[in-house]
Amino acid sequence: MTTTTRNWPVFASLQNYRRGWLRPDVIAGLTVWAVLVPEALAYATIAGVPPVVGLYAAVPSLILYAAVGSSRHLVVGPMSATAALSAAIVAPLAGADGGKYIALSAVLAIATGLVGLLAGLIRLGFVASFISEPVLKGFIVGLALTIVIGQVPKLFGVEKTGGNFFEQAWGVIRQLGDTDWRTLLVGVLSLVVVLGFKRWLPLIPGSLLAVLLGIAAVALFSLDDKGVAIVGHIDAGLPSLGLPGGVGFDDYVDLLGPAVGVLLIGFAEGLGAAKTYAAKAGYEVDANRELMGLGASNLGAGLASGMVVNGSLSKTAVNGGAGAKSQVSGLVVAALTILTLLFLTGLFEKLPEATLAAVVIAAVIELVDIAALRRLYNVWTERLGRIYGHAARADFSAAIAAMAGVLFFDTLPGLVIGIGVSMLLLLYRASRPHVAALAKQGTLWVDAERHPELPTRPDVVVIRVEAGLFFANCDHVKARIEELCTDETRMVVLDAETSPYVDVTAAEMLVQLRNTLSDRGIALRVARDIGQFRDTLRKSAEEGAAVGVYPTVADALAGATSRSDG
């Protein structure tokens, strides 16, 4: 079922609900709950707030996304990337005031929600397209590494050092002699359980099992009395609803700008997960409704004393893999989380922080996608990179820049660097289109560098520019065409079929190129011009600046009368 942005019905995924979907939806809900509870507690610690805040945020976000969002499978809740962003944004504003820190975390969620709702209403869903996949990949890898190193001190039972990734890593190394062996043993065993079940028994929630085993170990061996840090008291009951206290209007204003960055990263990850499972199930998601859903989820989380939330790729995968058919599974998760808040918080008070750290590390370690970076590097170095060198180098460089920005300058500056690199990458590619010399293969003209076995004429260069021609790239195209000409060249034919448009600056460039080549005894002709390209060249011809234009490359080579010549 496809729902347009014109009506935006509430609980769209429940329309035309089938009775046979109830059982798989309930099973999927139970499965996701088993993963969500320990991860929500863990992600709250990443955000620097009490663990229960993660559960506070999960309930309204699940319900409101089901009501407003367009995906049948997406699971919304606290996530590592946005939790880390939240901590980076809130910490400088809150200082040492713990109460204000918690309040500002909720304010950030409210601000993110308002920005998301506004963006969805004015249909800004296309904005996610401006963050390239390499930049997003590099940012996520850097963020995942930063999250991991932030949890390692809890794994070893040592003090956490502030600073960027490298400063934190050096802090861990300096304190290795102070490692608490019991804490390390609990953490390593918890990590083995989570990763082992994820690898060999993925249908069993390893995170929940590790949490239960960690709690049991503390209870049986009184580990908390022997130096093993535990979560401690968790407030039972439902959260208070309403605007957070202890903050003013200025705090909301200060957080609106950072909220845009939180929304952008959360939206990109959630939309990717939603599209992946929509394609598998044969329906469509609406980017603007996804913004609305994410906005409503964050607004609800903030008003329920929670923290920022976004769509989760990992939990959505659990949801889809367990057979979910609709957002009923998300509503089941919300109901179970409410029961957890009412009756099970005491159970999690004995949870070792080392186990919580292991759950976080296991959850984000899969985001350290070195294989993806290696693929980008291989594209750069292999044959494709030699042909499309500028674009290939830009992709790899952008990913590394975004990753390094996070590792050296922390999360929020890294995000800004990543977005800036995305924009620069877009401009760079637009200004450096691939200009291919062509060779004839039967009746077709193909890239000669891709087909070195094909013969070419030394006196003729047939060129194809794989982009429109406009002010930002025309100098590059002109220089590249002149570079391809040799002392033997007597004619250049520009096959314009792959150039859908040309602006006035580029049309003037073609006239200048014609004159420059003519001084070298080389004729310039244009073949197979289309649409707006043809119209602009015709206008130039009317103003006395004609470049010979021919219907086909063969006609241009044969020297037939051009259209611009009449």
Side-chain angles (χ1 to χ4, degrees), residues 236-254:
L238 299 179
S240 58
L241 302 179
L243 295 175
V247 294
F249 180 75
D250 290 344
D251 293 307
Y252 287 87
V253 174
D254 291 341

Side-chain angles (χ1 to χ4, degrees), residues 22 70 85 245 258 287 302 326-327 339 342 401 419 472 493 549:
L22 184 59
S70 64
L85 276 175
S326 76
Q327 282 294 331
L339 292 176
L342 291 174
I419 293 174
V493 177
V549 180

Side-chain angles (χ1 to χ4, degrees), residues 410-459:
D410 210 350
T411 308
L412 191 57
L415 171 63
V416 173
I417 290 172
I419 293 174
V421 168
S422 286
M423 298 299 100
L424 290 175
L425 176 59
L426 179 65
L427 295 174
Y428 182 81
R429 283 180 165 171
S431 65
R432 295 290 187 274
H434 181 53
V435 180
L438 306 183
K440 193 169 186 180
Q441 185 180 51
T443 60
L444 302 176
W445 289 89
V446 297
D447 192 330
E449 194 164 358
R450 284 178 171 272
H451 300 275
E453 75 282 359
L454 297 176
T456 57
R457 288 174 54 178
D459 60 329

Side-chain angles (χ1 to χ4, degrees), residues 103 106-107 110 239-245 252 299-306:
V107 170
I110 293 172
S240 58
L241 302 179
L243 295 175
Y252 287 87
L299 183 60
L303 293 175
S305 307

Side-chain angles (χ1 to χ4, degrees), residues 379-398:
V379 168
W380 176 12
T381 56
E382 292 177 358
R383 183 171 179 270
L384 187 60
R386 293 196 299 272
I387 297 173
Y388 297 100
H390 291 300
R393 285 191 294 272
D395 279 342
F396 178 70
S397 301

Side-chain angles (χ1 to χ4, degrees), residues 5 12 14 77 102 105 122 125 153 191 197 238 258-259 351 379 411 419 424 456 459 481 485 509 517:
T5 56
L14 305 188
I102 296 172
S105 296
I122 62 178
L191 195 58
F197 276 84
L238 299 179
L351 174 62
V379 168
T411 308
I419 293 174
L424 290 175
T456 57
D459 60 329
I481 292 175
C485 295
M509 177 275 291
L517 295 179

Side-chain angles (χ1 to χ4, degrees), residues 62 74 154 256 270 294 347 424 448 478 495 519 551 565-566:
L62 289 164
L74 186 67
K154 295 180 183 179
L256 280 176
L294 183 57
L347 176 67
L424 290 175
K478 181 175 182 290
D495 183 354
D519 292 341
D565 293 336

